[in-house]
Amino acid sequence: MDVKEAGASLDALISSFNSRIAELQQLVIARNMYPAGSVADLSAIDSALKAMELQVLNIKNRLRDETRAIPKAKKLIEAALQQQKKLESISACVSSCVPERITNLNQDNNKWAQQEEFGQDLRFESLKLEEPAPKEKKGRASPPMWYITAEELNSVPPYMKQRLTLDKMNAAIGDMANYAEANAHLISAPRKKLSDHNLDKALKLREISMADSVKGKHFFLESDIKGPSLKLDNTGRALLTVLRHLGRISETRIGHDRVIILLRP
């Protein structure tokens, strides 16, 4: 190695040392500018930034899930709108007396559920005592309540329909169902629980219910018609005529009684 190359290497080494010394001087100056107490603040800032990054990540994931759920929500909205149209069409055909009738049915169902639960408790205790459980009695089906639609009422000839409205027609159907349900209770009630007045009627209803034209069907007598919506006046007779025309009822005479049978159209 000649003198020039050795001198160049020495100059490079000295320059490297000088650069390193300058860097160390800058580090010392920076250390003196920021005391050791600032390290805790920097750590807190770092933690806050990490927490913000985690929140941003959660927001992105939530947005992604919501974006994926948009098509399902659109389908659900379409189904809800279709159901709304169906309910509106049904509501247009149902009279104002229906909610009271439904409330009564719901109360009856609640009573039946309580009785059933009490009966289950009794059966469990009877099983513990190794006694046979009593056989359940099959309940009679509720009377049919097929309400009239606006289209059906419009199809009735004007001379027959007269001034009858949809509400009057459907209110009469509710009354007839109440009459038939009361008669069904009298027919199935134990004899010892009936008063003298009800016993005579129950015996007559049982005899009528055994007729071939009435057997297994819900019915009521013309004498049962006492309102509140259906009455034995000109309007009530017109209602019965239209209901018979639309296939909701049929009539027969058994003995001295005019029997009206509820039908399913």
Side-chain angles (χ1 to χ4, degrees):
M1 179 183 294
D2 55 6
V3 178
K4 291 184 179 180
E5 292 179 355
S9 299
L10 184 60
D11 291 338
L13 182 61
I14 294 172
S15 178
S16 176
F17 274 111
N18 290 332
S19 299
R20 184 61 177 169
I21 291 170
E23 292 175 357
L24 291 173
Q25 289 175 348
Q26 292 178 359
L27 290 173
V28 170
I29 293 172
R31 183 178 179 182
N32 293 330
M33 289 178 62
Y34 303 99
S38 62
V39 176
D41 296 335
L42 293 175
S43 299
I45 293 173
D46 183 63
S47 300
L49 288 174
K50 289 181 179 179
M52 293 177 65
E53 290 176 354
L54 183 60
Q55 291 180 357
V56 171
L57 181 61
N58 292 335
I59 292 172
K60 289 182 178 179
N61 293 335
R62 184 62 181 271
L63 288 175
R64 183 178 64 252
D65 295 339
E66 294 293 337
T67 303
R68 292 176 179 175
I70 288 176
K72 296 180 180 179
K74 289 182 178 179
K75 292 181 180 179
L76 184 61
I77 292 173
E78 292 176 358
L81 292 175
Q82 293 178 358
Q83 187 68 16
Q84 181 182 4
K85 292 180 180 179
K86 292 180 181 179
L87 293 175
E88 288 176 352
S89 62
I90 293 173
S91 177
C93 300
V94 176
S95 64
S96 58
C97 66
V98 173
E100 181 180 356
R101 173 70 179 170
I102 293 176
T103 302
N104 294 334
L105 289 177
N106 290 336
Q107 291 176 354
D108 294 340
N109 290 335
N110 292 334
K111 292 179 181 178
W112 177 86
Q114 293 175 358
Q115 293 174 358
E116 182 67 17
E117 183 179 356
F118 180 71
Q120 289 179 357
D121 294 338
L122 291 179
R123 287 197 293 274
F124 288 148
E125 292 189 3
S126 64
L127 288 175
K128 293 178 182 179
L129 297 174
E130 298 182 356
E131 294 180 357
K135 294 182 179 180
E136 295 182 357
K137 295 182 180 180
K138 294 183 179 179
R140 190 180 182 91
S142 299
M145 294 180 63
W146 291 90
Y147 290 107
I148 304 299
T149 63
E151 290 78 7
E152 287 180 308
L153 187 59
N154 292 333
S155 67
V156 178
Y159 74 90
M160 186 184 299
K161 182 172 57 176
Q162 300 179 8
R163 296 182 179 179
L164 299 179
T165 63
L166 191 63
D167 284 343
K168 290 182 179 179
M169 298 294 301
N170 290 329
I173 291 177
D175 283 356
M176 292 189 301
N178 289 333
Y179 304 152
E181 190 171 10
N183 288 340
H185 285 311
L186 283 177
I187 293 172
S188 60
R191 185 166 183 171
K192 61 183 180 180
K193 292 186 178 181
L194 296 173
S195 62
D196 294 337
H197 173 71
N198 289 333
L199 179 59
D200 294 337
K201 184 176 181 180
L203 293 176
K204 181 172 68 172
L205 291 174
R206 289 174 185 176
E207 184 179 355
I208 293 174
S209 66
M210 298 305 294
D212 293 337
S213 58
V214 181
K215 194 172 184 178
K217 300 176 182 178
H218 290 276
F219 67 93
F220 62 95
L221 308 180
E222 186 181 40
S223 58
D224 294 328
I225 300 176
K226 297 177 181 178
S229 299
L230 182 60
K231 300 178 181 178
L232 282 178
D233 52 11
N234 293 333
T235 302
R237 291 186 178 88
L239 286 168
L240 293 176
T241 301
V242 175
L243 291 173
R244 185 171 57 251
H245 174 76
L246 294 175
R248 297 304 195 270
I249 61 172
S250 66
E251 297 179 7
T252 185
R253 184 170 290 277
I254 299 177
H256 299 287
D257 296 300
R258 183 185 178 191
V259 182
I260 302 171
I261 305 168
L262 304 185
L263 301 178
R264 297 179 182 272

